[in-house]
């Protein structure tokens, strides 16, 4: 797929301009043109692109290619054009009759099965931290899910659309595009209501709470998760449907995350004890609903949250004690990676910098796109760098470079 630089080079050559000639006409540096055309950078400021487009006598939007990689790599100037296609998919223009304006004709709307498979593939990319590819395919995925759900107008169709918008929300939160994430959460919530399924509605609470936590809206996040957990709480745990128990347990984890960050460690611990009881019940009969939140619930997930709460509370020894007994196999990579950051923090806090750097180095190797978006990881690296008296080693230097490039 063509990038911004590919479009600039093609249009420049078509008009018989050298790189120097275009730079002069656009009143930008030759280095800017060279870096864009060589794909050394996949983004530029909107004002810069406007100047280049004007020099090429084309609309600015004619230069927008696959800039999603820039957002995934957190290049400093990636917004807003790198997410333009996703913004269009999330906020389509609608006429007075409510219909999407300029929507492509769909003689054969997507089927429920094809849309469900598309969501599954995109979820796999997200959990593998392949954010660049996920960002690139999300606009088409959201359009597919929207058209499918609107044409079928059934509960299962809206449930699949809900999952697509949840995925968009999680990815946008990860890359800190919070304004668009709110739009995605709102649409996911609307689709969940249309689906008429309690489990689907509960699943939206996850990204909604995460977004609120990222915005330091701790009280609201806690209230949302707690009210949803109360609504899902089974009257008798031993006889409750495993899927509902799993949803209840996951909602308790979300509530505990808010409580821990709101300096209420006792409340967080109480919620996690309840979640642990739910995990024991679910462990006897694993669930498979197709909802990542519900299907991913386990005793291990409860313990990773206990470790996270211990880290927030400043108890590195407890983090390492819990980590020593944890089995992370089978857990979503993003959850596993997040727990390993707590382990790295615990090692760094205890002064065991070599172990901390080793854990961070593993994460850099396994999920560089994910890691560069984690301010927590950058804080740990800064903590280690400030504490070391010897020269910075190769792995620590590579970690510093990863974050300094943002």
């Amino acid at each position: 797929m063509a990038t911004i630089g590919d479009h600039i080079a093609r249009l420049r050559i078509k008009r018989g301009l050298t790189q120097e000639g275009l730079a002069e006409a656009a009143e930008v540096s030759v280095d800017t043109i060279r870096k864009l055309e060589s794909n050394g950078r996949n983004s530029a400021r909107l004002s810069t692109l406007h100047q280049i487009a004007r020099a090429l006598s084309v609309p600015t939007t004619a230069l927008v290619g696959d800039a999603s990689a820039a957002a995934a790599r957190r290049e400093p100037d990636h917004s807003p054009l790198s997410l333009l296609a996703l913004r269009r998919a999330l906020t389509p223009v609608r006429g007075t009759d409510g219909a999407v304006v300029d929507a492509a004709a769909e003689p054969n709307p997507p089927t429920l099965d094809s849309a469900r498979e598309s969501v599954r593939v995109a979820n796999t990319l997200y959990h593998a931290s392949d954010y660049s590819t996920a960002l690139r395919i999300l606009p088409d995925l959201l359009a597919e899910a929207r058209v499918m759900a609107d044409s079928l107008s059934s509960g299962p169709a809206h449930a699949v659309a809900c999952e697509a918008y949840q995925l968009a929300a999680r990815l946008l939160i990860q890359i800190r595009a919070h304004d668009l994430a709110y739009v995605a959460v709102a649409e996911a919530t609307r689709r969940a209501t249309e689906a008429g399924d309690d489990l689907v509605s509960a699943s939206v609470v996850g990204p909604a709470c995460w977004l609120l936590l990222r915005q330091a809206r701790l009280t609201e996040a806690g209230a949302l998760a707690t009210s949803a957990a109360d609504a899902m709480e089974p009257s008798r745990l031993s006889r409750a449907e495993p899927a509902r128990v799993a949803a209840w347990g996951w909602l308790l984890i979300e509530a505990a995350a808010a409580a821990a960050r709101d300096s209420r460690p006792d409340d967080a611990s109480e919620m996690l004890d309840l979640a642990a009881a739910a995990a024991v019940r679910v462990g006897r009969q694993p669930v498979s609903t197709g909802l990542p939140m519900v299907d991913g619930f386990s005793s291990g997930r409860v313990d990773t949250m206990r470790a996270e709460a211990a880290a927030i509370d400043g108890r590195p020894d407890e983090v390492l004690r819990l980590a020593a007994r944890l089995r992370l196999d089978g857990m979503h990579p993003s959850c596993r990676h997040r727990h390993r950051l707590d382990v790295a923090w615990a090692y760094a806090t205890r002064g065991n910098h070599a172990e901390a750097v080793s854990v961070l180095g593993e994460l850099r190797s396994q999920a560089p796109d994910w890691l560069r978006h984690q301010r927590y990881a950058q804080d740990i690296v800064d903590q280690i760098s400030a504490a070391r008296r010897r020269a910075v080693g190769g792995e620590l230097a590579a970690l510093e470079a990863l974050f300094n490039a943002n």
Side-chain angles (χ1 to χ4, degrees), residues 133-150:
T133 304
L135 281 170
R136 191 163 63 244
I137 70 171
L138 260 177
D140 288 340
L141 169 64
L142 292 178
E144 178 184 0
R146 173 176 56 78
V147 170
M148 179 275 301
D150 289 347

Side-chain angles (χ1 to χ4, degrees), residues 6 11 43 52 91 107 109 116 131 135 186 215 223 278 280 291 296 318 367:
D6 294 336
L11 292 167
S43 62
I52 296 172
T91 58
R116 183 179 284 124
Y131 297 157
L135 281 170
Q215 298 286 288
V280 171
L291 297 169
E318 178 65 5

Side-chain angles (χ1 to χ4, degrees), residues 169-192:
R170 290 184 180 279
L171 183 54
L172 289 163
I173 295 167
Q174 195 68 267
I175 66 173
R176 302 185 185 280
H178 294 152
D179 61 332
L180 286 180
Y182 275 110
V183 175
V185 166
E187 184 61 17
T189 302
R190 186 179 78 82
R191 295 290 179 176

Side-chain angles (χ1 to χ4, degrees), residues 338-362:
R338 177 59 181 77
H339 170 67
R340 294 295 286 166
L341 280 187
D342 286 327
V343 172
W345 169 84
Y347 280 131
T349 301
R350 293 182 64 185
N352 195 336
H353 298 146
E355 289 289 350
V357 170
S358 176
V359 172
L360 291 169
E362 290 174 8

Side-chain angles (χ1 to χ4, degrees), residues 274-293:
L274 290 173
V280 171
R281 167 70 178 90
V282 171
R284 299 180 189 140
Q285 188 177 348
V287 298
S288 180
T289 65
L291 297 169
M293 180 199 79

Side-chain angles (χ1 to χ4, degrees), residues 316-383:
D317 289 344
E318 178 65 5
V319 172
L320 295 176
R321 185 188 72 81
L322 288 166
R325 76 182 194 193
L326 262 171
R327 294 184 60 184
L328 300 178
D329 50 309
M331 192 174 295
H332 284 310
S334 54
C335 296
R336 185 168 63 245
H337 297 335
R338 177 59 181 77
H339 170 67
R340 294 295 286 166
L341 280 187
D342 286 327
V343 172
W345 169 84
Y347 280 131
T349 301
R350 293 182 64 185
N352 195 336
H353 298 146
E355 289 289 350
V357 170
S358 176
V359 172
L360 291 169
E362 290 174 8
L363 291 173
R364 184 179 69 86
S365 175
Q366 295 168 2
D369 276 357
W370 178 87
L371 188 64
R372 61 167 50 94
H373 285 280
Q374 309 306 311
R375 289 182 181 173
Y376 183 22
Q378 184 168 2
D379 289 343
I380 297 170
V381 169
D382 291 344
Q383 175 186 348

